[in-house]
Each structure stands twice: as structure tokens, then as C-alpha cells.
Amino acid sequence: MSMHRLSGCPSCAEPLEEGDRFCGVCGYAVSAPPPAAVDHPTIPIPPAPPAPPARPAAAGAAAGGYGSPAPAPGVPAPGVPHAAAEPAPGWGSVAAAAPTLVGDPAAWVTAPAEPEPEPEPRQGPAGATFAASGHGNPYGNGTPPDGTPWGAAEHPYGAADGPETRHDRPGGDPGTPGEGTPWGAGEAPYENAPQPGGAAGGKTCVACRAGHVDTDGYCEHCGHAQPRERDHIEEELGSVAAVTDRGLRHHRNEDSFAVSATALPDGSAATVAIVCDGVSSASRPDEASAAAAVAANEALLEALPRGAHPQEAMHEAILAAAEAVNALAPETPGAQNAPACTLVGAVVSGGLLTIGWVGDSRAYWVPDDRAALPRRLTEDDSWAAQMVAAGLMGEAEAYADVRAHAITGWLGADAYDLEPHTATFKPDHPGVVVVCTDGLWNYAESAREMAQVVPADAATRPLHSAQVLVGYALDGGGHDNVTVAVVPFATHPEQEPGPDAEPGPAAGPE
């Protein structure tokens, strides 16, 4: 190529090759004399701004790049074809098919050195768009001028127009609702939303809030044992109420209760309360107590409406409960400790109070008039009670022994000869019967101590009274499961309450 050979078409700046006589784009005759050097821009040129002060050589490096002086306007850089040369600020792109208005930053390939205009979008990695002012971002993005909103893909913490990304929620959603907009389901900032670990429609672990609770009651994620339905149960009928609680030391509730009411043949009402305590040293004590409570309650509801005497019905109910517990024993004798439990029950009917028990669960009589004497109505089937009954130890000494609570009577396949205890009383003044497991009476053993913690309005608010008694045991340490039933007893209108009247024969007056 001759030194005087044109490198580009004088008309459209299309690069030319050796031997071209006409431009392949616009058809301009390359061999024709060049047009007169008259400036015919495609758009008006605004007045030139005042010339900036002369820059040192280093400043030219920023404009031209790599330390070389910036080329003059309209002059391509060395080694770069004219068409590929970048235009000076304020000019339209020479490669564009149509003229571009001055000041539109979208047409600029590089930002001017002085003054700095609005940055153009620049494509970064993975298709992300950044601003082109280049303040510290390796791909040319920077913070927009003060007061300029972020673009949809430019906001440093997500889209400006969408909801705020929540980094404390799974997947970053949901965002914070607008002022006055209520939180949706699962969006409240302190609400435990369902986590990915929980299966749809299943239970989510109360400990880690992420795992699904398996059928055995343990979290598949963290292994935490879940609260069982029997951990705390309350039930109230019109004439009786009961509460059971796991306590503070046991991992499950091995107590159970049943409360009910039925009608006698004469039309009067009968109230039933059954409380059972599973023997922890036996296998499946929770199942034993539940089976015994259900069986005894059903037996009483079947016998009392037929006119059976309450004491006889209570005796048969205890035998039915024993059969239900025996059915839980393994088929192979001696394979394991057979399921076992204790039982205490109360029936209020026709002005009579009937008590039945096996084991060390108890029943107390607490009169409404606290000036009257409270009574304990049961005698424990325990080592301590046997020592006292035999005259070998005093009561205080016997119950202070480590063997005091070793029971000598229970319901279960490996029990000794079953001897249900029953007694009937006829109180001549109103009061309540407290039927409970040792989880309560360990903290209020004597009848006087029990009467002190029973609320004064127990006869009218039995559920509240049962809740108070369970809370008393928990406040005392809650070392065992706690179950309490409160049964109000009202005297017949024709009876005249005596000032110092007491219930009939008590099984263990204190």
C-alpha cells in the first residue's frame, strides 16, 4: 500500500483494502479527488466549553490510556482503523446508522475525562449491568449521583422497586410490607415460619423449627423429643375437673385420668373421677395408666345407671382396670417388667362419697368450712404404711426412709394378690374431694397441708383449683408427673350440717 493510499472511505469511513477503486458500502469513487475540507457535521455542534487548563503528561495517560497522550479529536489512535476510533465527547458515533443527539449518554462508549457526565450502562459478568462511572467496581459500576435512584439491577441490596430482601428468612423472602400493610401468614418478623424441613401438613419441630417430627415423636433433623399430647391436659365437666402435667423432671407424662358424669336410676346425678399413676420402673407405664383409667371409668358408667351400689361398682371397676393392664403384658412371662400402675377413684352420688384405690395415689376430703377438719381418705399400699401399721416405725421416721415410696400394691400382670380397697362416706357438710397422684401430695402430704393449698372457692371453680394445685407442685420442684381431680360435694337440703361433723369412716385420718 502506498503511503498516500487512503485507509478508509472519505465518504463513510468504511475501511478499504488494497486495490479498491470504489467503496463497497456507499459506492464512493476512491480514485476521485477528495472533497474540499469543509466541515459538514451530521448534527449541530454546541459551543465549545472553555478550554481546560493544560494537564501534565500523567493526565494524558488517563485520557489516552497506557501512558500515551490522548489523540486529537477525530484522529484515530495509532494502529486503530478510523472506523473503530472512539469519538470525542459531544459527538455522535461515526459508526451509527442514524445521528445521535448530543448529550445522550447511551451513545458514548467511554466516559469523558472532563467534565464527567451521566454514566452509561456497561455490561459486566454474567449479564449484569453496571453504571460506567467506575468508582471502585472492577466492572465499571459505581454509586449514582446524589438524588439519582438506583436502576432495577443496580441496587446494591436488590431491586429498588421490589420488596426489601430479608436475609433472615429462607430464600430472602418475604420483604417488609409497606407502612400500614399487615404482615401476611408466615411473614411476621418474630413469627416462626414453617421451615423447609417440615413436610407439608406434618408437624414441625418446636426446637429447631426446621425438622419434620417423625411418628415416634422425635425430630428427624435435630433429634429433639417433641411435647406429647399428654404432657399437659385439662378437662372440666359441670361437676368435676382434672389437670395432668408432665412435671419438670420426667421426659414424658406417665399419669392419666378420666372424669365423667352419669344419671342414676332415680334421676339424680353421679360424678366419677379416676386418677392413675404409671409405675416408672415397669415397661410402658404411660400405656398402663391410660388403659386403667379408661377401663375403670367405663365400668362405672356401665354399672351406676343400672342401680349398682357405688362401693360395689367401684370394686368391679378396679378389677376391670387390672384386666386392662394385664392385657398389656408381653406374651412371654419374665421377658420384661410387665406394665403397671396405681389407681384411685371417687364417685359422688346420692349424698354418698365412695373411694377406691390400689397403690399410693390418694384422696383427700377438704370441707368448704376450713374450720372443720380435713381428712385423708386412703391408706397407701407402700413400705412406709406397712411399717407404721405394724408398729415397727413412727410415721415421720417411716416416710423419711428411702424405701418409703416403694409400693406393695399395684395393677399389673406381675402384681401380688390384688386386693382393691373401697370405702363409702357420708359427709354432712359441703366440701371437695381432691384425688391425686404422689406428684402432688409429696408437696402437701398431710390433710391440713392439702387443705391450706386448696383454694377457698374450689367447690365453685374446680378447674381453677386443679390448676392451682398442679402449679403448687411445679413450684415445689415438679420432680414427678402431677395429676389432680377436684370433685365438689354438696349435702342434701334436708341435712343439717353440724359444727364439727366429719365424714364417715376414714381410711387413714390425720
Side-chain angles (χ1 to χ4, degrees), residues 102-147:
V102 174
D104 186 354
W108 299 350
V109 181
T110 56
E114 187 71 27
E116 185 174 8
E118 292 289 335
E120 69 164 340
R122 177 172 295 181
Q123 198 72 17
T129 301
F130 301 95
S133 54
H135 295 289
N137 189 287
Y139 304 107
N141 74 312
T143 306
D146 192 13

Side-chain angles (χ1 to χ4, degrees), residues 11 13 23 58 60 62 105 134 156 165 230 240 242 256 281-282 288 323 410 433 435 442 446-447 451-452 495:
S11 176
C23 176
T165 301
R230 287 177 57 177
V240 61
S256 189
S281 59
E323 292 180 3
W410 63 88
V433 183
V435 186
N442 279 331
S446 70
Q452 290 174 354
Q495 292 181 337

Side-chain angles (χ1 to χ4, degrees), residues 363-406:
Y364 292 84
W365 166 256
V366 179
D368 289 347
D369 181 6
R370 299 306 167 85
L373 189 64
R375 312 282 292 201
R376 175 159 66 91
L377 305 179
T378 58
E379 186 70 28
D380 298 343
D381 287 326
S382 67
W383 180 89
Q386 283 190 347
M387 294 297 103
V388 174
L392 300 177
M393 293 178 128
E395 187 172 349
E397 181 185 3
Y399 279 96
D401 194 282
V402 294
R403 298 165 289 180
H405 290 280

Side-chain angles (χ1 to χ4, degrees), residues 55-72 77-78 80 86 110-113:
R55 296 188 177 188
Y66 300 102
S68 61
V80 180
E86 297 179 349
T110 56

Side-chain angles (χ1 to χ4, degrees), residues 26 28 48 62 74 84 107 138-139 148-149 185 211 241 244 292 306 324 371 373 389-390 393 401 406 427 437 501:
C26 65
Y28 182 82
Y139 304 107
T148 303
T244 183
R306 290 191 289 103
L373 189 64
M393 293 178 128
D401 194 282
T437 61

Side-chain angles (χ1 to χ4, degrees), residues 205-477:
C205 176
V206 300
C208 67
R209 300 299 299 171
H212 172 65
V213 178
D214 204 349
T215 55
D216 61 357
Y218 290 84
C219 175
E220 295 177 343
H221 177 68
C222 68
H224 188 88
Q226 303 301 297
R228 296 169 173 84
E229 294 182 0
R230 287 177 57 177
D231 283 357
H232 185 92
I233 303 175
E234 300 181 359
E235 186 173 349
E236 181 181 33
L237 301 178
S239 55
V240 61
V243 176
T244 183
D245 191 271
R246 185 185 66 181
L248 305 179
R249 301 295 182 88
H250 282 243
H251 71 285
R252 65 180 174 184
N253 191 356
E254 299 170 356
D255 288 358
S256 189
F257 71 82
V259 293
S260 59
T262 187
L264 300 178
D266 61 0
S268 60
T271 302
V272 176
I274 303 293
V275 169
C276 298
D277 184 357
V279 178
S280 297
S281 59
S283 63
R284 296 147 60 201
D286 52 336
E287 297 180 29
S289 63
V294 170
N297 183 64
E298 291 179 350
L300 287 168
L301 292 181
E302 192 274 332
L304 292 174
R306 290 191 289 103
H309 190 276
Q311 191 167 354
E312 179 186 356
M314 179 64 75
H315 181 89
E316 296 300 321
I318 295 176
L319 295 180
E323 292 180 3
V325 178
N326 292 346
L328 299 176
E331 297 181 0
T332 305
Q336 58 179 334
N337 292 333
C341 69
T342 67
L343 180 148
V344 61
V347 174
V348 173
S349 62
L352 297 177
L353 172 58
T354 302
I355 304 296
W357 73 97
V358 173
D360 62 350
S361 294
R362 295 180 177 181
Y364 292 84
W365 166 256
V366 179
D368 289 347
D369 181 6
R370 299 306 167 85
L373 189 64
R375 312 282 292 201
R376 175 159 66 91
L377 305 179
T378 58
E379 186 70 28
D380 298 343
D381 287 326
S382 67
W383 180 89
Q386 283 190 347
M387 294 297 103
V388 174
L392 300 177
M393 293 178 128
E395 187 172 349
E397 181 185 3
Y399 279 96
D401 194 282
V402 294
R403 298 165 289 180
H405 290 280
I407 59 176
T408 58
W410 63 88
L411 305 180
D414 56 357
Y416 303 131
D417 293 339
L418 179 61
E419 297 181 4
H421 309 289
T422 59
T424 298
F425 309 93
K426 192 172 184 180
D428 55 5
H429 49 267
V432 296
V433 183
V434 177
V435 186
C436 64
T437 61
D438 60 347
L440 171 62
W441 67 254
N442 279 331
Y443 302 99
E445 187 171 342
S446 70
R448 287 185 176 87
E449 290 174 330
M450 184 64 69
Q452 290 174 354
V453 297
V454 173
D457 59 353
T460 57
R461 302 177 65 193
L463 177 59
H464 172 260
S465 300
Q467 293 169 337
V468 169
L469 293 173
V470 169
Y472 178 80
L474 298 179
D475 290 343

